[in-house]
Amino acid sequence: MKRFLNISNNTKGVFLMLLGQLSFAINDTFVKLMVQISENNFSTLSIIFLRGFFASIFILLVIILFTQNNLKTAFKNKISYLRGIFEVLTAAFFFAGLIMMPMANVYTLLMTAPFIVTLYSFFILKEKVGIRRWAAVMIGFIGVIIVINPQNLEFGLLFILPIISAFFLTLRDVVTKKIVNKRNSLDITLITSILVMIFSGIGAFVSNTEIQFYNLTYIFISSLFLTSGYVCSVLTIYFAPLSLTASIRYSVIVFGIILGYLLLGEEPSLNMIFGAIIITASGLFVIKREKDLGKID
């Protein structure tokens, strides 16, 4: 732990992005696995509700037991609610696509986000984005195109869902950048988790979906990784520029392909494997470049 605290902020940001993407991928895999077991797509809402309930309890306990944060102050931050709403919309469109499409395809379409984030970071946040970092983002996107293999896909309305999710994901990260500091990362995470839980619960009630209690073990595991993903997604934005970690976000495709194969029986095609190698290379290129410049350890 001490070693982690002594490394540079950019290194922490890259590490947390990788850990966060892995956590989200594991969480998403368990959600899709539970939906497949229930054989009812609408069960997604009840699963997300229970998952959000457990995650909120975890985060609340950590705040109470290990921090000195004032919960009253946390709930007074109005911008945290805006960030939470963007998370709700991100999750809604993402899971709508995830249940009806292979994980690799959903993650690939979601990876329009690094482009949007990098563009916003350069033009709006005025972050310095060098030609090599732009090249890494472009190379990563080439890998995305190879993975999705558009010649063999019938593009329809379903493919719009992850792209809309990517748009709200970018807005979430931009809002996070404006409000995050050393003390409020868990507060922001708690608000987000509660809002996702509330809206999924409302969705389950409106759609008359039964709460799926027989998958509590999977839901409990999923909520642990969701909590990890939430915390990492907030902290990586605090420690590192958005433009630096944008290309590292591509790693979720690699994680998705591996987990989809191991747990969901989704066999990767050759283009998926080749594209994943290119995506991984683009992320490693950014890490090596930042290390050469002395910005990460």
Side-chain angles (χ1 to χ4, degrees):
M1 184 64 181
K2 290 183 178 179
R3 186 176 180 181
F4 178 78
L5 294 174
N6 290 331
I7 63 179
S8 69
N9 283 347
N10 282 357
T11 305
K12 293 175 185 175
V14 170
F15 173 80
L16 288 166
M17 176 60 83
L18 284 169
L19 180 59
Q21 296 305 95
L22 175 60
S23 298
F24 281 131
I26 295 174
N27 160 69
D28 298 338
T29 303
F30 273 99
V31 171
K32 184 165 185 176
L33 183 61
M34 286 183 281
V35 172
Q36 289 181 347
I37 292 173
S38 70
E39 298 182 346
N40 179 6
N41 288 345
F42 284 103
S43 67
T44 309
L45 292 168
S46 66
I47 291 168
I48 294 175
F49 169 74
L50 288 174
R51 185 199 64 173
F53 174 78
F54 283 126
S56 299
I57 295 297
F58 294 151
I59 300 165
L60 187 60
L61 287 175
V62 171
I63 292 175
I64 293 173
L65 297 176
F66 300 103
T67 75
Q68 298 178 343
N69 293 15
N70 188 330
L71 288 175
K72 291 183 179 180
T73 302
F75 286 101
K76 289 181 180 179
N77 190 336
K78 296 180 180 179
I79 301 181
S80 292
Y81 290 95
L82 177 62
R83 194 243 183 215
I85 293 298
F86 287 144
E87 180 71 49
V88 169
L89 293 169
T90 298
F93 286 102
F94 173 79
F95 280 110
L98 182 68
I99 300 308
M100 294 179 279
M101 299 165 58
M103 283 182 64
N105 287 350
V106 177
Y107 282 140
T108 300
L109 290 165
L110 187 66
M111 286 305 101
T112 52
F115 277 110
I116 303 172
V117 169
T118 304
L119 287 170
Y120 190 94
S121 301
F122 181 74
F123 289 107
I124 307 299
L125 299 181
K126 305 301 181 182
E127 292 181 0
K128 292 183 179 180
V129 183
I131 186 65
R132 290 178 177 83
R133 198 176 294 173
W134 280 114
V137 174
M138 292 298 294
I139 291 170
F141 192 71
I142 291 173
V144 168
I145 297 299
I146 293 174
V147 169
I148 199 170
N149 193 13
Q151 290 183 344
N152 293 335
L153 290 174
E154 295 179 3
F155 283 88
L157 292 178
L158 289 182
F159 287 87
I160 297 175
L161 297 175
I163 295 175
I164 296 175
S165 180
F167 174 75
F168 286 118
L169 175 64
T170 302
L171 293 179
R172 182 203 71 182
D173 286 353
V174 169
V175 171
T176 306
K177 191 70 174 178
K178 293 181 179 179
I179 62 174
V180 66
N181 57 51
K182 288 183 178 179
R183 291 183 55 84
N184 70 359
S185 59
L186 285 174
D187 296 342
I188 295 170
T189 304
L190 177 63
I191 297 297
T192 298
S193 182
I194 290 175
L195 285 175
V196 172
M197 178 188 68
I198 290 173
F199 278 94
S200 59
I202 293 173
F205 177 78
V206 171
S207 62
N208 197 28
T209 302
E210 293 184 4
I211 303 300
Q212 306 288 334
F213 289 103
Y214 57 84
N215 285 323
L216 283 182
T217 301
Y218 283 164
I219 291 173
F220 186 82
I221 295 172
S222 175
S223 62
L224 286 174
F225 284 103
L226 176 69
T227 302
S228 171
Y230 276 160
V231 174
C232 289
S233 68
V234 173
L235 289 178
T236 188
I237 293 172
Y238 170 73
F239 283 116
L242 290 175
S243 56
L244 169 61
T245 57
S247 58
I248 308 300
R249 196 184 296 274
Y250 286 128
S251 62
V252 76
I253 298 178
V254 181
F255 296 141
I257 290 174
I258 295 172
L259 291 169
Y261 174 73
L262 293 177
L263 298 179
L264 301 174
E266 298 175 353
E267 294 190 9
S269 59
L270 287 177
N271 62 287
M272 282 186 181
I273 296 173
F274 184 56
I277 292 173
I278 294 177
I279 291 165
T280 302
S282 72
L284 292 175
F285 176 80
V286 170
I287 294 172
K288 183 180 184 302
R289 174 62 180 169
E290 295 299 308
K291 185 175 183 178
D292 291 342
L293 294 175
K295 293 183 180 181
I296 65 175
D297 302 321

